[in-house]
Every structure is written in structure tokens, then in C-alpha cells.
Amino acid sequence: MNILLLGREEDCRDYLDYAEQRGFDVRFFDPPQLAADDRENWRRTVADAARAAVDLTGLDDVVSFHDSYQIQLELIRGELGMPTRDIDTLLCLADKTRFKAHPAVRDHITRHIELDPSAKAPQALAAVTESLSFPVVVKPSNGFYSAGVVKAETPEEFPKAFLQTKRVCTVLREGNGQSRMLAEEYLDGNEYAVDGMVSEGRIIPLQIHRKLPPLVGPLFHEVAYLTEPFDAELGRDFTALLEDVIPGVGLDDSPFHAEFRFDGQGRLRILELAPRLCGGGTTTYQQLRICTGLDAYDLLHRLGREAIDPKPLHHRVALEYDAPIERSGFLRNTDRAVAVCRKNDVTTVHLHRPDGQFVLAPPLNFETVLTAYFARDTREEAEALLDVLMTDCTIETETEKSS
């Protein structure tokens, strides 16, 4: 197959390994930003830039695992006569403000308000106090990797959270042209995520992730996903919510990654719905392969071209460990963390950033440093492994770069 991948080569190592094993030819393209007031020229802008950068002849598919490139992806696919998803749907899903305001979604979310990014902290606090109850979570409208997501337990904690999120929104605007701020009431319940596919109108949940350790704030970096095949009986609440939201927003022939929390009354709420594979593609592919034996990248290439009906080949438990960064600084001793993963029978380990590179700690982080995937037979075995990794598999940083 000949594949055009929208994104940076260094961020797509997992898919590149997959493609190399199968003899795929992969070309890369970093697409241009799109001006909101120039929608009638979007397709021409992207198509012209793509043709100037890469050879578009003979392509079998165009894919992207990046949140910010989903619109450009569909524009190129449309230019090449490939199946496409609805642009307005993708615009809705790319922005939490639009998503939460959608009629199909607004009955399934927690109370929230949009904050003026030009406001000072006292003004923002006054708006939050008038409309919401503490604790609240402040977040960017179009963030990813939990960057800028900060909990304020009390009004006294709000100014710091507001400034941290505001800083991330500034970075996002520099890269994407827009980013707004939201404050929403904190949901004091367990957080889950579901990966799946929508094929010819059929919603197919494939696996469910429990986020560990529990995300209680003040920051929300996701250290681990404990993943199992989706159980239709146990997951009835998730399926019912997805069957309300997904057709309502118009998503079809697409992967999806949906995130949820239970509120204090045990009611399931949706946090976001992304029209892509999870974790740069890697999380969905590696976890699904471990848990079920299914090939997520193959399913992605088939969507829109044929109806898919994936059936799990086995039932195992997967653990994804995303080594946290405690302090911003220059990376050191990453080889030791990799060695710990291998000692514990890692299935796949990706070291994304080498020693000596400067990285930011949450809530300002946008980059994964080390991600490792493990296969276990039971949930208890996976939870015990996480305890070991949290102690032994840590990523170190230093304030000054070693010579």
C-alpha cells in the first residue's frame, strides 16, 4: 500500500514499524493551518500545499492520528476521490465548546462556562463563582494529552489554575490559530475511555480503558490505561450514551475515542469524543492487539470502503504505562526506564524523546517521553505490574543539560 500520513515522522514510529513490516510505502506531509474565515478555499489551500510537498499519485490511503489535522485529512481525501467524513462534524468534535453545545451532547455533560482568555484571574473567578460550584476543572477547548487541564478545589486555588491553563491556550493558539478556555464542574467519579469504530452507521465499541491511578487532580496526566475488550453487557451505559451522541453529531465511517466520567449520583457523563485512534494511533493499535488480537490499523484503512464487523480472537488484559515527568528539565537515564520495562516482559516500548532533550512537566506538557505496553491474563496482574512500574520505572530530568 502507498500511504500519505499527515504528521511528523518522529511522532508516528508505531505506525511506521507496522508499515515497514508489511512493505507499505509511507510519505509524510505536515499540512498548513486553516483560517476560520476562509473555509471556501480550505480544500485548494491544503491540496496545493500537499502537491508542492509530496507526490500524491498512486496513493491507496491518507491517514492522520493528530487531533489538529483531521480537517486537512478529509480535504485531501476528498481531493483524491477517497471516502470522507463530514467536515462540520469534525469541526464540532475538534472543539470542546462546540461539542458541549451540540443538541445531541448537552444532556450528557457537566455544567460549564466559557472563559474570556483576555480576562484577568479575578474577572474569570467572578464568572465561575456566579455560574458553577467548586471544585472546577479549567481546560483548553482544543487541548490534547491533558495539557492545561487543572483542577481548582476552592476559589483560592482558581487563579493559579487559570494562569496555567491560559499559558497552554497561548501555545495552542500559536500552533492551531485558536484555543478557548473552559471551566466545568468537577465530576467526582471514576474515569474511563472507549475505543471503537463507526462503520456504515453501526457503532462498534472495541475496548474499554480504566485510567489509573484515579485522576483526582489537581493535574490530570494519564499515567496508565488498564484495558480490556469491551463487554456489551457490562458496558450498556456506555453504549447507550454513544448511540445517542455519535449519530447525533453525524460521525460515520470513522474511528472514535470517547472519554467518560461518572458523577456523584452514578450517572455517566461524556467528556469528549475524538474522531481518531487513541494515543497517536499507538494506544488503540497496541492495546487492541493485546486484548483481542484485532488489527486497528487494518480496520482504519478499511473504513468507508467496506462494512467492518470485527470479532475478538481472544480476551486478555493490556496495560499501557506512560512514564510521568515530575519536573521540567533535560532528560537523563531514560535507558534505565527502558530496562525496567524489558525486565517486566514488555510487549512494546517506545522511547519518544532521547536523553538531553528538554521536556515540560504537567500541566504544560505536550509530549510523551516513554510509553510501554504489557500483556497480562488478569486485571489483578496488570494492577500489580503498575505498582512496580510506578516505583521502578521513572523518568528523570535535570535542570542543566549534561555535557
Side-chain angles (χ1 to χ4, degrees):
M1 290 181 71
N2 296 311
I3 307 297
L4 178 63
L5 204 161
L6 306 194
R8 301 183 304 175
E9 185 170 347
E10 59 265 33
D11 295 332
C12 304
R13 182 183 304 174
D14 188 69
Y15 183 80
L16 277 177
D17 290 345
Y18 174 90
E20 183 178 354
Q21 292 169 13
R22 289 156 180 78
F24 294 179
D25 176 62
V26 182
R27 309 164 206 177
F28 285 88
F29 172 54
D30 192 8
Q33 295 181 28
L34 299 173
D37 59 356
D38 192 37
R39 180 168 174 174
E40 63 181 19
N41 293 315
W42 281 359
R43 182 159 162 175
R44 180 54 50 206
T45 297
V46 174
D48 287 350
R51 287 194 170 92
V54 293
D55 181 6
L56 298 183
T57 60
L59 289 174
D60 296 297
D61 207 356
V62 186
V63 299
S64 181
F65 310 113
H66 197 294
D67 279 306
S68 300
Y69 295 160
Q70 296 301 308
I71 305 298
Q72 293 92 326
L73 169 64
E74 297 311 302
L75 295 169
I76 294 177
R77 289 174 63 89
E79 181 73 8
L80 298 178
M82 297 179 181
T84 61
R85 299 170 294 176
D86 181 70
I87 295 293
D88 287 316
T89 295
L90 299 179
L91 287 170
C92 171
L93 300 181
D95 188 296
K96 295 181 179 67
T97 304
R98 291 191 188 193
F99 178 66
K100 291 174 183 293
H102 195 284
V105 178
R106 57 191 178 206
D107 289 338
H108 301 295
I109 58 174
T110 186
R111 289 199 303 168
H112 68 284
I113 62 170
E114 184 176 343
L115 300 175
D116 181 355
S118 66
K120 302 296 185 182
Q123 295 171 285
L125 175 58
V128 169
T129 303
E130 181 180 354
S131 303
L132 306 177
S133 299
F134 279 85
V136 299
V137 176
V138 190
K139 62 176 62 174
S141 65
N142 61 338
F144 55 92
Y145 197 51
S146 299
V149 182
V150 187
K151 178 184 175 185
E153 192 75 40
T154 64
E156 291 73 25
E157 294 180 4
F158 179 83
K160 181 180 179 181
F162 176 77
L163 293 174
Q164 288 175 313
T165 303
K166 189 173 186 176
R167 182 177 174 186
V168 170
C169 285
T170 299
V171 175
L172 288 168
R173 279 193 292 273
E174 291 172 353
N176 302 318
Q178 63 177 355
S179 183
R180 291 172 283 179
M181 296 179 66
L182 297 175
E184 63 185 29
E185 291 182 346
Y186 173 71
L187 297 174
D188 190 19
N190 291 330
E191 189 162 330
Y192 297 84
V194 174
D195 290 338
M197 304 280 177
V198 192
S199 176
E200 297 187 355
R202 180 179 171 225
I203 299 165
I204 310 169
L206 292 172
Q207 59 185 355
I208 186 166
H209 311 284
R210 291 170 174 82
K211 299 186 180 186
L212 298 174
L215 298 174
V216 296
L219 307 179
F220 293 86
H221 177 78
E222 297 170 357
V223 174
Y225 269 12
L226 191 154
T227 307
E228 296 179 84
F230 188 85
D231 185 299
E233 182 65 23
L234 295 176
R236 291 192 306 272
D237 290 347
F238 296 95
T239 301
L241 201 160
L242 290 168
E243 289 178 346
D244 269 354
V245 170
I246 288 179
V249 299
L251 187 65
D252 199 3
D253 290 322
S254 175
F256 69 84
H257 174 74
E259 302 203 345
F260 307 87
R261 262 187 190 258
F262 285 95
D263 63 20
Q265 289 72 49
R267 181 179 175 184
L268 189 64
R269 304 284 190 168
I270 191 164
L271 302 177
E272 63 180 69
L273 176 67
R276 49 146 175 85
L277 298 182
C278 176
T282 314
T283 296
T284 302
Y285 173 73
Q286 293 291 348
Q287 300 287 78
L288 193 66
R289 181 175 64 89
I290 291 169
C291 288
T292 68
L294 294 172
D295 183 336
Y297 292 140
D298 175 68
L299 295 174
L300 177 67
H301 288 307
R302 290 162 55 195
L303 281 173
R305 293 177 167 86
E306 61 182 90
I308 64 168
D309 187 22
K311 302 295 184 186
L313 304 177
H314 59 246
H315 189 300
R316 297 197 76 188
V317 177
L319 181 74
E320 176 190 14
Y321 180 70
D322 183 357
I325 304 296
E326 295 297 327
R327 297 179 182 85
S328 299
F330 297 95
L331 290 172
R332 63 189 297 268
N333 292 337
T334 54
D335 55 343
R336 188 177 68 181
V338 172
V340 170
C341 293
R342 290 177 174 154
K343 179 181 177 181
N344 286 279
D345 300 318
V346 71
T347 299
T348 302
V349 56
H350 291 301
L351 180 62
H352 303 280
R353 303 289 179 259
D355 278 356
Q357 188 167 110
F358 186 84
V359 295
L360 293 169
L364 306 177
N365 57 313
F366 290 94
E367 299 177 323
T368 305
V369 174
L370 179 145
T371 313
Y373 300 88
F374 302 85
R376 293 296 186 266
D377 291 322
T378 68
R379 189 185 305 174
E380 292 74 18
E381 290 175 342
E383 291 174 342
L385 171 60
L386 178 58
D387 290 339
V388 172
L389 296 174
M390 292 286 288
T391 301
D392 297 342
C393 186
T394 56
I395 297 290
E396 299 179 6
T397 56
E398 55 190 358
T399 55
E400 295 185 4
K401 190 171 184 179
S402 300
S403 58

